[in-house]
Amino acid sequence: MARAGSARAGLSTARAGFGSARLGSARARLGTARAELGTTRQNSVRLGLGSAELGSARAGLGKPRFHPPALGRARQAAPPLPPPPRPSDPGGAPRPGPGWERYRAMAGAQLTEGTVTVEGQSLFYREARPQQAPRLNVLLLHGIRFSSDTWLQLRTLAVLADAGHRAVAIDLPGLGRSKDAAAPAPVGQPAPGAFLKAVVEALGLAPAVLVSPSLSGMYSLPFLFQHGHLLKAYVPVAPICTEKFEAERYASVQTPTLIVYGDQDVELGQVSLSNLRHLARHQVLVLQGAGHACYLDKPEEWHRGLLAFLQQLEPWHRRTERAAPESRSSASP
């Protein structure tokens, strides 16, 4: 009996030891599993982080690349360079580029330039000719700060030629491209009328319409009084020297005259008008809002008034001849 009880006690002890061993082993396996689970979670977090970084990198590939501001400006098209400044001639007005002023085709006209010998001296001139026979010959003078280039830039030469007139603009002695020529009289004093007579005859302009602004009055007025038979008409534009001649002398002149001045020219404009109005056959063109060089301030009004005056000068039969084809064309079906 004692042996049986001892055996049973040993068995219980064995069973208890085996159970404890199994429990310890299970606990050990549970710890291992928990450790593996932690590792797996860490790896999952790392994998998720890697996926997020990869997605961010892929998204970055689709975005436009950044360029520094300087590089971005460099890739833009450079703006065109401004044209170089044009040289000025001694008359004070800018000249067109080389070659342009030597020959320029206009609407039915050509522009040329050259020199003419007057009283042993060389004078520069520009000329615009229509293709057909000219209706009138127009000689343009200029003021002290200007030259024949003024009429080129203002397009007065072109306007006259397009209207069928021969237009010649000269550089007066000592000015523009005639600067080497000596003037026949001091500035502000009437020059001999023979000077412009020689110009008109050398250029074959007689009878001429004479356009005379400002300074050029010292040349045009003596020519008007002494050689009026060489003039078709006279267009003074606030000229100087008008006060040097008596009213009776003006009244003796029968040359058709268009007196031009700007209403803002309170000095020469008004002085010249007060003297020139004594001319027997005169009209007056006042350019509103214009100063002394009124043709520069109001070029359209200047050209319109000048052309209207020239049209009055043409012989009646020429005006009717030009009107006849227009009448026939308008009457045709």
Side-chain angles (χ1 to χ4, degrees):
M1 293 291 293
R3 289 180 181 175
S6 177
R8 287 176 181 168
L11 179 59
S12 298
T13 301
R15 285 177 176 171
F18 180 73
S20 299
R22 291 178 64 185
L23 180 60
S25 176
R27 287 176 176 172
R29 286 199 298 273
L30 179 59
T32 301
R34 287 174 176 172
E36 290 175 352
L37 178 60
T39 302
T40 301
R41 286 176 177 172
Q42 289 179 359
N43 290 338
S44 298
V45 171
R46 289 174 182 172
L47 180 61
L49 181 60
S51 299
E53 291 175 349
L54 179 60
S56 176
R58 286 175 176 172
L61 290 175
K63 295 180 180 179
R65 295 184 180 181
F66 171 75
H67 298 290
L71 180 59
R73 286 195 298 268
R75 292 191 175 192
Q76 296 176 358
L81 295 175
R86 296 184 299 186
S88 295
D89 68 13
R95 294 213 315 261
W100 185 88
E101 63 183 2
R102 299 225 173 247
Y103 174 87
R104 180 192 177 201
M106 296 178 290
Q110 293 179 354
L111 177 69
T112 58
E113 65 180 35
T115 57
V116 61
T117 301
V118 176
E119 298 180 346
Q121 299 188 103
S122 179
L123 298 180
F124 177 83
Y125 71 91
R126 290 179 169 92
E127 178 176 357
R129 277 181 177 267
Q131 289 185 345
Q132 71 276 17
R135 297 173 180 173
L136 296 168
N137 297 326
V138 183
L139 175 61
L140 298 113
L141 308 181
H142 59 83
I144 193 169
R145 293 187 297 116
F146 304 102
S147 68
S148 63
D149 190 65
T150 303
W151 304 116
L152 174 67
Q153 299 296 332
L154 196 64
R155 296 198 74 252
T156 302
L157 289 171
V159 168
L160 289 170
D162 290 346
H165 306 297
R166 179 190 174 196
V168 179
I170 69 168
D171 286 1
L172 292 169
L175 300 172
R177 294 168 70 175
S178 300
K179 60 183 179 181
D180 294 333
V187 173
Q189 298 298 318
F195 173 77
L196 277 186
K197 176 178 181 292
V199 171
V200 168
E201 291 177 344
L203 292 169
L205 294 172
V209 177
L210 182 60
V211 178
S212 176
S214 195
L215 169 82
S216 64
M218 62 179 283
Y219 296 95
S220 65
L221 288 167
F223 178 61
L224 172 69
F225 295 130
Q226 300 170 21
H227 305 284
H229 63 284
L230 296 177
L231 281 177
K232 182 73 174 179
Y234 183 45
V235 185
V237 187
I240 67 171
C241 294
T242 58
E243 74 284 356
K244 298 184 181 298
F245 303 93
E246 299 295 331
E248 293 77 11
R249 193 159 191 188
Y250 284 108
S252 65
V253 174
Q254 296 299 312
T255 303
T257 300
L258 177 65
I259 302 170
V260 184
Y261 72 99
D263 69 339
Q264 301 301 306
D265 185 7
V266 296
E267 296 183 0
L268 268 177
Q270 296 296 329
V271 170
S272 60
L273 175 64
S274 65
N275 293 304
L276 294 171
R277 66 184 180 182
H278 296 293
L279 289 166
R281 301 174 61 189
H282 77 269
Q283 303 174 40
V284 179
L285 172 63
V286 184
L287 300 184
Q288 301 295 328
H292 181 56
C294 55
Y295 44 87
L296 294 180
D297 295 334
K298 300 290 183 178
E300 292 184 5
E301 292 85 345
W302 155 249
H303 289 146
R304 185 164 55 246
L306 178 60
L307 291 180
F309 176 68
L310 296 182
Q311 188 173 7
Q312 299 174 17
L313 302 174
E314 295 183 71
W316 179 83
H317 70 275
R318 285 194 184 181
R319 294 200 298 269
T320 54
E321 285 174 359
R322 287 202 311 276
E326 296 176 1
S327 301
R328 287 194 297 269
S329 60
S330 60
S332 60

